[in-house]
Amino acid sequence: MKDLIIEMEQYASLHNVPIIEKESITFIMKYIKANKIKNILEIGSAIGYSAILMASTAQDVTVTTIERDDTRYMECLKNVKKCGFEQKINVVFQDALDVNLTDVSYDLIFIDAAKSQSIKFFEKFKYFLKDNGTIITDNLKFHGNVGKSSEIESKNLRSLVGKIENYIEFLKNNPEFETKFYNVGDGLSVSVKKDEKK
């Protein structure tokens, strides 16, 4: 398993595939263990790096992960098979915004896909969260650019960073969730669904 993780890190570096920072995935794995999380939905598989690490936290943890890029999807499938996690990780080849889920609910949803779509992902998938479930989002600092959008010269990057800043405001003002922000890796948010019964 350790060798495969190193191999995946090297592949990601070589092929310019963005994978989660070590500090961030360590934080999430601890969160999964501490909160006895069993089933996870991940938006954005890439090559399966975070899905495999999350699934490895305990024997009864399962992950459904969604990827729309065919090259990354195939690489993810290959890696899941290599570590023998075919029963623990379900890889879905589709754009997450087109995925139709029925009769499923998750303890944890991890958003690590197109940053410009974070609000749409959050709004769509929050309905598949169990009571007191959690949505974690990665890359909220976006390499130190968030909070400095007015200084960014590139129009595309400025627009993307602006969308991440809007997402952070959306999380802060969302009445259904209690969100904490962590200065871990490239910036994480942990949004816990409030108990409606209270």
Side-chain angles (χ1 to χ4, degrees):
M1 177 88 167
K2 200 177 176 184
D3 290 347
L4 175 64
I5 295 301
I6 293 166
E7 198 182 298
M8 288 168 79
E9 287 167 357
Q10 288 168 344
Y11 176 95
S13 174
L14 199 63
H15 295 86
N16 212 13
V17 176
I19 58 170
I20 190 166
E21 290 192 18
K22 283 182 181 176
E23 199 185 346
S24 304
I25 192 64
T26 301
F27 176 95
I28 293 169
M29 288 164 79
K30 281 181 184 166
Y31 188 91
I32 291 167
K33 287 177 185 171
N35 293 279
K36 297 184 171 59
I37 282 162
K38 302 295 175 225
N39 48 350
I40 300 166
L41 174 68
E42 178 183 52
I43 317 299
S45 322
I47 56 172
Y49 182 76
S50 44
I52 287 168
L53 285 168
M54 289 191 293
S56 73
T57 50
Q59 207 145 12
D60 52 358
V61 172
T62 58
V63 181
T64 296
T65 182
I66 304 168
E67 179 55 54
R68 66 178 184 183
D69 180 276
D70 56 348
T71 308
R72 290 179 184 179
Y73 166 74
M74 294 307 291
E75 195 61 30
C76 181
L77 280 182
K78 191 175 88 181
N79 290 325
V80 167
K81 196 172 182 183
K82 266 189 191 174
C83 65
F85 275 4
E86 296 101 320
Q87 302 304 312
K88 286 168 71 67
I89 299 175
N90 174 28
V91 190
V92 178
F93 178 46
Q94 207 174 0
D95 188 306
L97 293 174
D98 298 331
V99 168
N100 289 317
L101 297 173
T102 48
D103 300 327
V104 285
S105 59
Y106 300 94
D107 302 309
L108 171 66
I109 295 173
F110 177 44
I111 301 176
D112 192 17
K115 304 300 162 229
S116 58
Q117 305 287 346
S118 293
I119 292 177
K120 284 183 185 173
F121 292 141
F122 195 103
E123 290 287 37
K124 172 172 179 163
F125 291 106
K126 69 180 182 183
Y127 297 105
F128 300 97
L129 205 55
K130 290 180 183 173
D131 291 342
N132 302 115
T134 306
I135 297 178
I136 293 181
T137 313
D138 191 25
N139 303 116
L140 291 184
K141 290 196 292 191
F142 207 68
H143 319 298
N145 287 303
V146 169
K148 301 175 183 171
S149 54
S150 57
E151 300 166 27
I152 298 168
E153 287 179 22
S154 158
K155 193 180 171 186
N156 288 349
L157 180 59
R158 191 166 62 240
S159 166
L160 177 56
V161 169
K163 284 175 179 166
I164 297 171
E165 290 170 350
N166 289 344
Y167 179 64
I168 291 167
E169 285 308 305
F170 161 83
L171 292 177
K172 284 179 180 172
N173 299 305
N174 193 316
E176 298 170 77
F177 287 80
E178 186 73 49
T179 298
K180 287 182 180 169
F181 297 90
Y182 293 89
N183 194 12
V184 171
D186 197 26
L188 285 176
S189 62
V190 176
S191 307
V192 179
K193 191 177 177 184
K194 290 179 184 173
D195 192 341
E196 292 164 6
K197 299 177 194 78
K198 284 182 182 174

